[in-house]
Amino acid sequence: ALISQAKSGDMLDAMVTLRKEVQVGPKNVECHIQIEHMRKFCDASQKGLTDYLEKQKFFGRVENYNAFWLVNAVAVRAVPMIMQHIAARKDVENVFVPGKFEIPEPKGNVTLDSRSADFVRPLQQSPFEQNISFIKAPDVWNVLQNGVPIRGKDVVVGIIDTGIDDTHPDLLGKVPKKASADSQGKITVGVAVESTGHGTHVAATAGSNGTLQ
């Protein structure tokens, strides 16, 4: 419906899913071999579509596209006519064009701190960051297990994310092991270079030394 309602010159964004599902490579092999197998499978499965997109890009009907291999899909930005042609292809399972949603304005004078204390503790009354109070973690900390408050002590947590900065004050002495993987799946033990800070944030949420830096 969104495709048919669009103007002929509009550029639409869509996720195109192909019929063939990604085939995982042979078991008990190194990760990078599995990844290479999946890449080759998707390259072959998507070739007809990407060749078509490349030709239409020359005429300005396709602005860009991005092929994936973890799922057999291609993100496409193109005019409605091209989206219709893609949807009619035999090798295509689905063309998903996301709709636009408007966030309604809140009614009345509603702020985060004015919500029910049973839902979120007011920021000014809580010694914890707002997200910690939101998930009611302090309530769990008051629960006793064998007469001792639950603190997650001696529990090992694995974090798979953007990396980790184990020199951060909140994480000193809290990261016993680390490793990194490159885009080809090659794993290097003992190295975990942080790229965006997100992994460090997540790791600190799970197991910081209790300070807030």
Side-chain angles (χ1 to χ4, degrees), residues 144-188:
L144 299 181
Q145 188 175 50
N146 298 325
V148 179
I150 295 176
R151 289 292 186 273
K153 184 179 180 181
D154 299 326
V155 175
V156 178
V157 180
I159 307 291
I160 301 176
D161 212 294
T162 60
I164 190 169
D165 176 11
D166 57 354
T167 66
H168 192 284
D170 286 354
L171 294 172
L172 290 176
K174 307 294 287 187
V175 185
K177 294 183 180 180
K178 57 186 178 181
S180 63
D182 62 19
S183 60
Q184 301 300 316
K186 181 181 179 181
I187 297 175
T188 303

Side-chain angles (χ1 to χ4, degrees), residues 1-210:
L2 291 175
I3 297 175
S4 61
Q5 293 171 7
K7 297 179 181 179
S8 60
D10 289 346
M11 283 290 175
L12 300 177
D13 293 299
M15 183 63 71
V16 180
T17 306
L18 285 88
R19 292 190 182 279
K20 291 184 178 180
E21 295 184 3
V22 177
Q23 298 296 315
V24 180
K27 297 180 180 179
N28 302 320
V29 297
E30 294 184 14
C31 182
H32 70 91
I33 297 178
Q34 287 272 12
I35 291 174
E36 184 63 22
H37 177 88
M38 295 166 71
R39 285 183 184 276
K40 288 182 177 179
F41 175 86
C42 286
D43 285 346
S45 175
Q46 298 166 3
K47 189 176 187 310
L49 176 60
T50 54
D51 284 352
Y52 170 75
L53 293 173
E54 196 63 36
K55 291 179 181 178
Q56 296 303 321
K57 194 174 180 181
F58 177 79
F59 296 107
R61 298 165 185 157
V62 173
E63 185 173 306
N64 55 55
Y65 64 91
N66 186 25
F68 298 92
W69 56 267
L70 195 58
V71 292
N72 195 5
V74 180
V76 180
R77 182 171 176 80
V79 297
M81 179 188 71
I82 298 300
M83 294 298 187
Q84 291 173 339
H85 289 175
I86 293 173
R89 292 177 60 94
K90 293 182 178 180
D91 56 349
V92 169
E93 177 70 26
N94 183 51
V95 177
F96 174 70
V97 178
K100 294 183 179 180
F101 302 91
E102 293 185 2
I103 301 176
E105 292 293 329
K107 296 181 179 180
N109 186 20
V110 179
T111 63
L112 182 63
D113 291 346
S114 67
R115 295 180 185 178
S116 168
D118 293 333
F119 180 62
V120 178
R121 298 184 186 189
L123 186 60
Q124 66 272 20
Q125 297 179 13
S126 174
F128 311 107
E129 287 194 344
Q130 196 69 32
N131 60 328
I132 302 299
S133 297
F134 183 83
I135 63 173
K136 297 185 180 296
D139 296 340
V140 176
W141 296 338
N142 293 328
V143 177
L144 299 181
Q145 188 175 50
N146 298 325
V148 179
I150 295 176
R151 289 292 186 273
K153 184 179 180 181
D154 299 326
V155 175
V156 178
V157 180
I159 307 291
I160 301 176
D161 212 294
T162 60
I164 190 169
D165 176 11
D166 57 354
T167 66
H168 192 284
D170 286 354
L171 294 172
L172 290 176
K174 307 294 287 187
V175 185
K177 294 183 180 180
K178 57 186 178 181
S180 63
D182 62 19
S183 60
Q184 301 300 316
K186 181 181 179 181
I187 297 175
T188 303
V189 178
V191 177
V193 179
E194 176 63 283
S195 59
T196 69
H198 188 270
T200 301
H201 166 80
V202 172
T205 299
S208 71
N209 56 24

